[in-house]
Amino acid sequence: MLGLLGEQGSDFAYKVDYANDIVTIISVVCTVAIVGAMLYFAVKYRQRDGVDHETPAIEGNNALEVIWTVFPTLVCIWVAWLGYDSFVDLRTPPPGAMEVNVTGRKWAWDFQYKNGKRTTSELVVPVGEPVKLIMTSKDVLHSFFVPVMRTKMDVIPGRYTHEWFRPIKTGDFQVFCTEYCGNEHSKMLARLKVLPKAEFERWLADDSEERKLAAMKPSDRGKELYVAKQCVTCHSLDGSPRVGPSWLKLFGKQGQLASGDKYTADENYIRESILNPQAKTVAGYPAMGMPSYQGQLSDDDLTGIIEFIKTIDGSQKIEVAPAAPPKKADAALASMTPAERGKALVADSSNMCLTCHSLDGSKVVGPSFKGLWGRKEKLSDGSEVQVDAAYIKESVWKPAAKIVAGYGPAMPAMYEGKLTDENLNDIIEYLKTLQ
Ligand code: CUA
């Protein structure tokens, strides 16, 4: 009705919205009527000289008493019924719902399916089927909130809680943690991916990735992740300088932090630097240079990367395969509009745009894409620039050329050759839609 709660993604969302709308409308009407009457009488019966101020003694009015007791009681019962009715829906998963185990931890969500498949920060479900989440926490209280599904439940260490929903549309939706759980609480996010049923079945049955990883030596897994997670963009293996320190002979190295303290690159230091890069920045490197990998890497992944770093001791030259080319079939891209192609490029995780640029106006490592097109930006050298096609292309290909005031030189110079002029024109068309 009022659309206050946004997009509706589950079959009970409309009920929750209806109850919310009714309560909102009643509240607004009562507030306006009561405060309005109060102001009206305050003005009308204000003190004026020569007027008798004595209030008449009114002895009651049975008709009025009955009306203003019975009518609000009926309204309250109706509102309670609306709430109860949708609450029962929310708390009663239909028998046969697909179960997914959810574990909250500081600060990420892990999911496990009945066939053993695991994901982190990404919950994939089929459209039209009821999904029941069985949830627990490894450490502190969290809360699993899927706004588009209108469902939310606390996640508690040492016990199981549950919530369920039946998605009515496909798409990517946001999941939040809504229980303050520590300093990275606001980053404890996940994606809910609703797929057509056949596509979901294919995704669920595909365990090639897991088997490959499980069969690998930790250091090989780390080597693979070095490319797959784009570490390669900022950290070289041969000692050459990039945005971040080279990994050559990194393990065990001692040096100075930007804070002036000393560091030793042991397992704990490397782990912390991957999960919370801003905690200990090495002197001479940009403070905001690295995005956090919190929630994107499992403990096995982290161990793998650390083991890989240990192998880069200079005793042998290490070759890595180049990053995989974009997977999107050209045919599918050709049938899209330029703005759709741009959206796909921005969303493609191998391009990493969304690691540092938000779509909703919030400040991450770089400026948000929302409202970017046509905006006047103040640069760090004090000059101003209007965001147009030429500026965007320059900023992507030569990120260091013009830095917006308030941001660090954090963007990797990896896009020249990776994104063509055509790609950028598509991305620009997409940016124009983000006003
Ligand atoms: Cu977990 Cu907030």
Side-chain angles (χ1 to χ4, degrees), residues 216-224 303-305 307-308 311:
M216 273 183 173
K217 282 196 301 190
S219 60
D220 286 343
R221 180 183 193 138
K223 187 172 170 180
E224 187 120 322
T303 304
I305 290 173
E307 289 305 313
F308 174 53
T311 66

Side-chain angles (χ1 to χ4, degrees), residues 128-146:
E129 303 285 324
V131 179
K132 180 178 174 186
L133 305 178
I134 300 165
M135 311 188 293
T136 191
S137 165
K138 266 191 182 162
D139 35 46
V140 298
L141 288 184
H142 303 279
S143 179
F144 196 84
F145 180 32
V146 198

